[in-house]
Amino acid sequence: MKRFVAVLAAGTALSSLGVAGAAQATAQTTGTTASTTTTSTTTCADGPVGVLRSQVCVTIDGTGVTAGGYTSPTRSDWTAQSASYTLTLGVVGGASLGTDTGSGILPPGGRGFGYLAATAPCGSTVTATLTTTTWGYGTAATVTAPVTC
């Protein structure tokens, strides 16, 4: 059993370093074979375009869910200014999985706002919303995605 755990740990470590084939590491202990396979899905949605535009994305890997967003100005004469944001993540018809609020400088090229990580039940649908505001301008984007394990 110790050899089995050691082989899986080594495969995971090599995989995280990008060593080719490490993700397919297998171990055999008294006729039992174990392997690791992961698949993640990223779904994004854009909000309406005005003075600001935003995009929010969720990435689902098994029951693990992460959410983050990006906001950029649409005006060519935009100067960097302070912006506030709220990123929410939840299960549709169910519990909130988290809220991230804060502020930062929104430069002419745009920037990422917010990050959340949580676990959602298999078979559920998650939704994430990013709302960004600055000097009377605002934008919001919402995405929903199924958690298929």
Side-chain angles (χ1 to χ4, degrees), residues 34-149:
S35 64
T36 305
T37 304
T38 58
T39 303
S40 64
T41 304
T42 299
T43 306
C44 298
D46 296 326
V49 177
V51 173
L52 301 175
R53 70 174 144 230
S54 63
Q55 182 181 67
V56 64
C57 298
V58 294
T59 299
I60 300 170
D61 188 355
T63 59
V65 180
T66 58
Y70 188 86
T71 299
S72 62
T74 59
R75 293 176 28 184
S76 61
D77 64 342
W78 186 267
T79 57
Q81 52 191 282
S82 180
S84 60
Y85 72 90
T86 301
L87 176 66
T88 60
L89 178 63
V91 175
V92 173
S96 168
L97 298 176
T99 300
D100 181 15
T101 60
S103 62
I105 300 298
L106 179 60
R111 65 164 279 183
F113 281 106
Y115 177 81
L116 290 168
T119 302
C122 288
S124 65
T125 299
V126 293
T127 185
T129 299
L130 172 68
T131 304
T132 310
T133 57
T134 183
W135 295 102
Y137 302 111
T139 183
T142 300
V143 64
T144 58
V147 179
T148 55
C149 303

Side-chain angles (χ1 to χ4, degrees), residues 12-38:
T12 301
L14 292 173
S15 178
S16 68
L17 294 174
V19 175
Q24 290 82 26
T26 59
Q28 187 151 4
T29 303
T30 60
T32 304
T33 302
S35 64
T36 305
T37 304
T38 58

